[in-house]
């Protein structure tokens, strides 16, 4: 008689899986928060494993911290940028529940904490290596002395901490000897003494940002003695001039990046002193330099012949200067000449013929350039991955054909406000790696051109069609069919776009940014299609879409839980739709100007309901109608108000006029 096989009953079959294997699965789905949530809700064991696996947290509200940190005991990186108001109590909770496990904390967009809260954090989290306190405009030296208690600190950001002085920085320098990355940008109370103390005490500094500090060349004598210094940022340091650098002698062979942009009192003579010992420099930024970029300037680059990147934006550049740069620095891979209005075909052609390994080129608003330059670029730089040439209006249509034929490795291409046509797009569709394409104010392109892009550029992630008025639903359909990785699209002021385009784009499930400002034919029905199928939607601009109403916002409130920014100015939205947005917990920015169906009480209810709101753009008339106590309450909660006056509606017949209306581009 055969014995019955012994049966093993397993109550939780998933427990047979190794934690390491499940962790690999979690790493693969980590980019989508909704996938992680679905995973953790599958069963109790998955819920526990997901809690053990997660190392980074970005909570929406500080009041959630006790419950969240109790569950996620292995939190090493805490991002509190979505919490505009973080109190000392909240930091105390973080310190007690995270303890030695916490390695980094980001408070760059938070306020309401003091030195007492920072002390609890520094004392409890003894292994803290990174803290970002940028924008703590009320932070004083007492708080800086507390930060010095974090002895393990390696990375510290104090941008725009305008109340700090040399004394506070001195305390940090003495207490945090392990610092290797420090940002003091816009710390206008810090001078030569504080920077020198930092350089003397923290000998391991690799990256130092001193942008817009009232320093002189005096402290740079100590800074450039740092043996491990790789990046030095001096943007906007008006006190750094030729005279203060005249006696500078250094041998900073470790320096790889120098930013001396907007140093208005620095000329070629002072720059030569800065570069004298930086023989290994790879990246140089001298945008808005006071000296003309001529043959004399290029001579200062002799000792940095290994230079790989140079940024000359806004400079006066001569033909001889470009020729000399090409001859002396033929290893350059990145060149930026944005808004260098004096650049000519002759100078640029000589430059690119010498730079066979050029990867990135920016000639934005170089209006003297013609098709001659583009032909030379295409023939000389086959390895280009990024080309930005906005507003190069003298370039003929035929010149764009060569870009696709010769520069097949392009990943980023900005052709805003150019004469490119459908044949040019057909050529560009051969760039199979293209991920970003900007065609704003390109009045000669039609749906046929977009069909080539849709069929050829399957890796496209960003497409800008701002005011390209020849585009209709047919062209957008081609893009949606072929570019299924699309994350960002701008169809603002494409007047022939209808709901059909939105239905087509709803197939792009990775869509995060959708801008359709000034599209008069789209309705809430099309918006609903986007909301239901594009779960990652984070930024939405619906301004001047008169047929967007409450039904569209109700759908958004239900399905678009990742939405962070929305503009519904000059739409048919009423307070019913506006209040429904309170259901979107991560909503941070909202713009509602000239909404005819809105009452002060409705706007007030919406503002109160959106607990994480950081910025609200409202009509100026509401300022006197909303209770002052309500505005004060919201500001204390971390919300900033921008009050907009009524403006006279202007004709939109000439798209090129509107490209300068920057306020109409930024929500």
């Amino acid at each position: 008689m055969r014995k019955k096989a012994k049966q093993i009953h397993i109550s939780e079959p998933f427990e047979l899986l190794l934690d390491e294997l499940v962790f690999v699965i979690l790493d693969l789905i980590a980019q989508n928060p909704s996938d992680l949530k679905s995973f953790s809700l599958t069963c109790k064991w998955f819920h526990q494993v997901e809690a053990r696996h997660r190392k980074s947290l970005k909570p929406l509200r500080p009041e959630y911290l006790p419950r969240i940190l109790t569950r996620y005991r292995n939190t090493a990186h805490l991002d509190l940028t979505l919490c505009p108001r973080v109190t000392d109590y909240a930091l105390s909770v973080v310190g007690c529940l995270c303890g030695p496990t916490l390695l980094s904390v980001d408070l760059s967009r938070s306020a309401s904490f003091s030195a007492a809260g920072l002390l609890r954090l520094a004392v409890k989290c003894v292994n803290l290596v990174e803290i970002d306190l940028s924008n703590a405009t009320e932070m004083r030296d007492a708080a800086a002395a507390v930060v010095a208690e974090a002895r393990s600190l390696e990375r510290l950001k104090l941008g725009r901490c305008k109340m700090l002085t040399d004394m506070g920085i001195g305390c940090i320098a003495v207490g945090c000897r392990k610092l290797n990355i420090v940002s003091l940008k816009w710390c206008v109370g810090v001078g030569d003494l504080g920077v020198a103390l930092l350089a003397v005490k923290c000998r391991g500094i690799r990256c130092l940002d001193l942008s817009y500090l009232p320093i002189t060349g005096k402290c740079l004598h100590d800074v450039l003695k740092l043996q491990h210094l790789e990046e030095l940022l001096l943007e906007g340091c008006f006190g750094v001039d030729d005279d203060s650098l005249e006696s500078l002698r250094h041998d900073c062979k470790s320096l790889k990046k120098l930013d001396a942009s907007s140093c208005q009192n620095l000329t070629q003579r002072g720059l030569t002193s800065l570069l004298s010992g930086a023989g290994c420099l790879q990246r140089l930024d001298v945008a808005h330099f006071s000296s003309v970029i001529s043959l004399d300037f290029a001579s200062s680059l002799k000792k940095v012949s290994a230079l790989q990147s140079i940024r000359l934006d806004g400079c006066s550049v001569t033909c001889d200067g470009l020729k000399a740069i090409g001859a002396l620095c033929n290893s350059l891979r990145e060149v930026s000449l944005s808004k260098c209005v004096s650049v000519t075909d002759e100078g640029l052609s000589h430059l690119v013929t010498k730079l066979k390994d050029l990867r990135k080129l920016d000639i934005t608003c170089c209006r003297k350039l013609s098709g001659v330059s583009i032909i030379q670029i295409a023939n000389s730089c086959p390895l280009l991955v990024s080309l930005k040439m906005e507003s190069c209006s003298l370039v003929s249509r035929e010149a764009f054909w060569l870009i696709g034929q010769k520069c097949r490795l392009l990943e980023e291409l900005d052709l805003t406000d150019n004469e490119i046509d459908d044949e040019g797009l057909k050529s560009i569709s051969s760039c199979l790696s293209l991920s970003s394409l900007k065609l704003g104010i390109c009045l000669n392109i039609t749906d046929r051109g977009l069909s080539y892009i849709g069929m050829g550029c399957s890796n496209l992630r960003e497409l800008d069609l701002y005011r390209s008025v020849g585009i209709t639903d047919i062209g957008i359909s081609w893009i949606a069919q072929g570019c299924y990785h699309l994350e960002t699209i701008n169809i603002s002021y494409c007047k022939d776009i209808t709901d059909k385009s939105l239905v087509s784009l709803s197939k792009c499930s990775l869509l995060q940014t959708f801008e359709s400002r000034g599209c008069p034919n789209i309705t809430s029905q099309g918006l609903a299609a986007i909301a239901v199928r594009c779960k990652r939607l984070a930024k939405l601009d619906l301004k001047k879409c008169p047929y967007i109403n409450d039904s569209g916002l109700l759908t958004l409130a239900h399905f678009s839980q990742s939405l962070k920014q929305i503009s519904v100015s000059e739409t048919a939205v009423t307070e019913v739709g506006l209040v429904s947005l309170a259901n979107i917990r991560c909503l941070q920015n909202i713009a509602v100007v000239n909404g005819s169906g809105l009452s002060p009480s409705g706007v007030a209810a919406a503002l109160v309901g959106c607990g994480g709101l950081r910025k609200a753009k409202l009509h100026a008339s509401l300022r006197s109608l909303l209770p002052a106590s309500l505005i004060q309450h919201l500001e204390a909660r971390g919300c900033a108000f921008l009050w907009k006056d009524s403006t006279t509606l202007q004709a939109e017949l000439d798209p090129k006029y509107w490209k300068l209306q920057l306020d109409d581009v930024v929500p």
Side-chain angles (χ1 to χ4, degrees):
M1 186 175 176
R2 294 171 57 184
K3 294 183 178 180
K4 292 183 178 180
K6 187 177 180 181
Q7 295 182 347
I8 301 176
H9 178 69
I10 301 174
S11 59
E12 292 289 347
F14 290 121
E15 292 182 3
L16 294 177
L17 295 173
L18 295 175
D19 282 3
E20 290 77 10
L21 179 60
V22 181
F23 287 173
V24 171
I25 297 173
L26 287 168
D27 287 336
L28 293 173
I29 65 174
Q31 293 184 348
N32 192 340
S34 62
D35 289 344
L36 282 176
K37 184 176 181 180
S38 299
F39 179 93
S40 64
L41 294 176
T42 303
C43 64
K44 289 183 178 180
W45 187 73
F46 273 19
H47 190 268
Q48 296 169 1
V49 172
E50 193 270 336
R52 292 199 300 272
H53 170 266
R54 185 174 291 197
K55 298 293 190 297
S56 301
L57 288 178
K58 192 174 183 178
L60 295 173
R61 308 278 192 278
E63 54 267 28
Y64 298 161
L65 284 172
R67 186 172 58 184
I68 294 174
L69 295 176
T70 299
R71 178 185 174 192
Y72 296 105
R73 290 289 187 175
N74 295 325
T75 300
H77 308 286
L78 184 60
D79 185 344
L80 295 172
T81 54
L82 296 181
C83 304
R85 189 171 183 270
V86 177
T87 63
D88 291 339
Y89 170 74
L91 292 183
S92 179
V93 169
V94 171
C96 292
L97 294 180
C98 292
T101 306
L102 192 65
L103 300 179
S104 70
V105 61
D106 190 343
L107 291 162
S108 61
R109 295 188 177 276
S110 306
S112 301
F113 57 86
S114 67
L118 290 175
L119 179 62
R120 296 188 187 110
L121 190 67
V123 171
K124 294 288 185 179
C125 305
V126 293
N127 293 322
L128 198 65
V129 296
E130 180 177 3
I131 185 167
D132 190 342
L133 294 169
S134 301
N135 303 308
T137 53
E138 299 300 319
M139 181 177 173
R140 298 177 181 271
D141 291 338
V146 166
V147 173
E149 296 298 322
R151 306 295 183 185
S152 300
L153 210 58
E154 297 178 7
R155 298 179 292 277
L156 177 62
K157 295 181 180 180
L158 296 170
R160 294 187 74 246
C161 293
K162 298 182 178 182
M163 305 299 291
L164 287 183
T165 70
D166 292 335
M167 183 177 294
I169 298 302
C171 293
I172 291 173
V174 172
C176 305
R177 299 293 185 94
K178 296 181 180 180
L179 282 174
N180 55 58
I181 297 178
V182 181
S183 175
L184 300 176
K185 186 174 183 178
W186 282 111
C187 291
V188 293
V190 178
D192 286 329
L193 177 60
V195 173
L197 280 171
L198 200 63
V200 170
K201 296 295 183 180
C202 305
R203 305 301 300 174
I205 289 180
R206 292 187 292 106
C207 177
L208 184 59
D209 189 349
L210 305 176
S211 300
Y212 298 100
L213 263 62
I215 59 172
T216 67
K218 182 179 178 180
C219 67
L220 296 182
H221 290 260
D222 293 307
V223 169
L224 290 172
K225 291 178 182 177
L226 292 168
Q227 296 181 357
H228 305 286
L229 186 66
E230 296 179 4
E231 297 185 14
L232 177 60
L233 284 70
L234 300 171
E235 179 184 0
C237 291
F238 300 148
V240 177
D241 56 19
D242 296 343
D243 294 335
S244 63
L245 294 175
E246 188 172 6
S247 62
L248 182 64
R249 298 290 183 272
H250 70 94
D251 187 22
C252 193
K253 294 180 179 179
S254 61
L255 192 63
K256 296 179 180 178
K257 177 181 178 180
L258 175 63
D259 184 349
S261 59
S262 301
C263 291
Q264 296 183 0
N265 296 315
L266 187 66
T267 69
Q268 179 261 331
R269 181 164 62 93
L271 183 64
T272 301
S273 299
L274 273 176
L275 299 178
S276 60
C280 296
L281 195 70
Q282 296 178 4
R283 305 178 67 86
L284 176 63
D285 187 342
V286 286
H288 309 291
F289 201 53
S290 56
S291 293
V292 175
I293 309 301
S294 61
L295 191 61
D296 291 336
F297 170 87
S299 65
S300 65
L301 303 180
K302 288 181 180 178
K303 295 184 179 180
V304 289
S305 57
L307 203 63
Q308 295 184 13
S309 172
I310 188 167
R311 182 169 173 258
L312 302 170
D313 296 0
C315 294
S316 178
V317 184
T318 67
C319 181
D320 289 340
L322 288 181
K323 289 180 181 180
I325 291 173
L328 293 171
C329 306
N330 52 25
S331 60
L332 279 171
R333 294 191 172 193
E334 299 179 17
V335 176
S336 182
L337 300 168
S338 176
K339 299 180 182 178
C340 295
V341 294
S342 58
V343 171
T344 62
D345 287 331
E346 182 184 359
L348 186 62
S349 296
H350 275 89
L351 177 67
V352 297
T353 53
K354 299 291 184 179
L355 307 180
K356 301 298 183 182
D357 291 331
L358 194 64
R359 301 294 201 278
K360 296 184 179 181
L361 178 62
D362 188 347
I363 50 174
T364 297
C365 295
C366 293
R367 302 181 189 276
K368 292 184 179 180
L369 298 181
S370 69
V372 174
S373 292
I374 304 305
I375 292 171
Q376 196 63 60
I377 290 169
N379 288 325
S380 303
C381 308
L383 300 179
L384 269 183
V385 296
S386 174
L387 176 59
K388 298 179 181 179
M389 49 178 294
E390 177 182 348
S391 297
C392 294
S393 52
L394 294 182
V395 177
S396 63
R397 301 183 187 186
E398 293 75 19
F400 293 102
W401 301 349
L402 272 179
I403 294 178
Q405 294 173 13
K406 301 289 186 177
C407 305
R408 297 289 183 91
L409 301 179
L410 276 173
E411 298 174 7
E412 179 183 22
L413 184 58
D414 186 350
L415 301 175
T416 304
D417 187 24
N418 274 288
E419 297 300 315
I420 188 171
D421 60 7
D422 292 340
E423 291 302 316
L425 290 183
K426 183 178 181 180
S427 176
I428 289 168
S429 67
S430 301
C431 303
L432 303 182
S433 299
L434 198 63
S435 62
S436 174
L437 178 60
K438 296 186 178 181
L439 299 169
I441 324 179
C442 291
L443 308 183
N444 301 317
I445 64 173
T446 68
D447 295 332
R448 184 167 67 91
L450 284 192
S451 70
Y452 298 130
I453 298 298
M455 290 186 287
C457 304
S458 60
N459 290 312
L460 197 66
R461 283 171 166 74
E462 178 184 9
L463 178 61
D464 186 354
L465 298 170
Y466 175 78
R467 290 190 182 276
S468 293
V469 293
I471 302 303
T472 71
D473 295 332
I474 298 173
I476 300 300
S477 176
W478 279 107
I479 294 296
Q481 289 178 36
C483 308
Y484 41 85
H485 294 301
L486 198 66
E487 297 176 358
T488 299
I489 187 167
N490 186 347
I491 54 173
S492 296
Y493 298 105
C494 294
K495 56 184 178 56
D496 293 326
I497 295 295
T498 70
D499 285 345
K500 291 181 180 179
S501 289
L502 276 64
V503 172
S504 298
L505 289 170
S506 68
K507 300 172 185 176
C508 302
S509 59
L510 302 180
L511 196 64
Q512 297 178 24
T513 299
F514 180 68
E515 298 182 62
S516 59
R517 175 176 300 200
C519 293
N521 297 316
I522 67 172
T523 71
S524 291
Q525 186 176 354
L527 178 61
I530 294 280
V532 170
R533 302 186 67 177
C534 302
K535 300 294 186 182
R536 299 189 183 186
L537 193 64
K539 179 181 177 182
L540 187 59
D541 187 353
L542 301 168
K543 183 178 180 180
K544 296 183 180 178
C545 297
Y547 294 112
I548 296 295
N549 55 31
D550 293 338
S551 64
L553 263 63
L554 289 168
T555 308
L556 278 174
H558 183 72
F559 291 100
S560 300
Q561 289 302 307
S562 298
L563 195 64
K564 296 180 181 179
Q565 181 173 313
I566 186 171
S567 174
V568 289
S569 300
E570 299 180 46
T571 63
V573 170
T574 71
E575 54 199 46
V576 174
L578 203 60
V579 170
S580 71
L581 294 178
N583 189 52
I584 305 175
R585 293 184 296 174
C586 60
L587 190 64
Q588 298 177 45
N589 295 350
I590 187 169
V592 192
V593 182
N594 295 340
S596 57
L598 297 173
S599 66
S601 59
V603 172
L607 294 175
V608 172
C610 299
L613 213 56
R614 301 297 305 268
K615 179 180 177 182
K617 183 187 289 189
L618 303 174
H619 195 273
S621 61
L622 287 171
R623 191 169 193 170
S624 59
L625 299 177
L626 293 174
S629 58
L630 173 66
I631 295 176
Q632 293 173 1
H633 168 72
L634 292 171
E635 288 177 336
R637 206 168 66 176
C639 180
F641 287 91
L642 181 61
W643 307 98
K644 300 292 290 185
D645 291 323
S646 297
T647 55
T648 305
L649 295 177
Q650 303 182 50
E652 300 180 7
L653 297 178
D654 182 6
K656 289 192 175 185
Y657 170 80
W658 285 92
K659 71 177 180 176
L660 300 176
Q661 309 302 308
L662 298 182
D663 185 55
D664 211 27
V665 177
V666 181

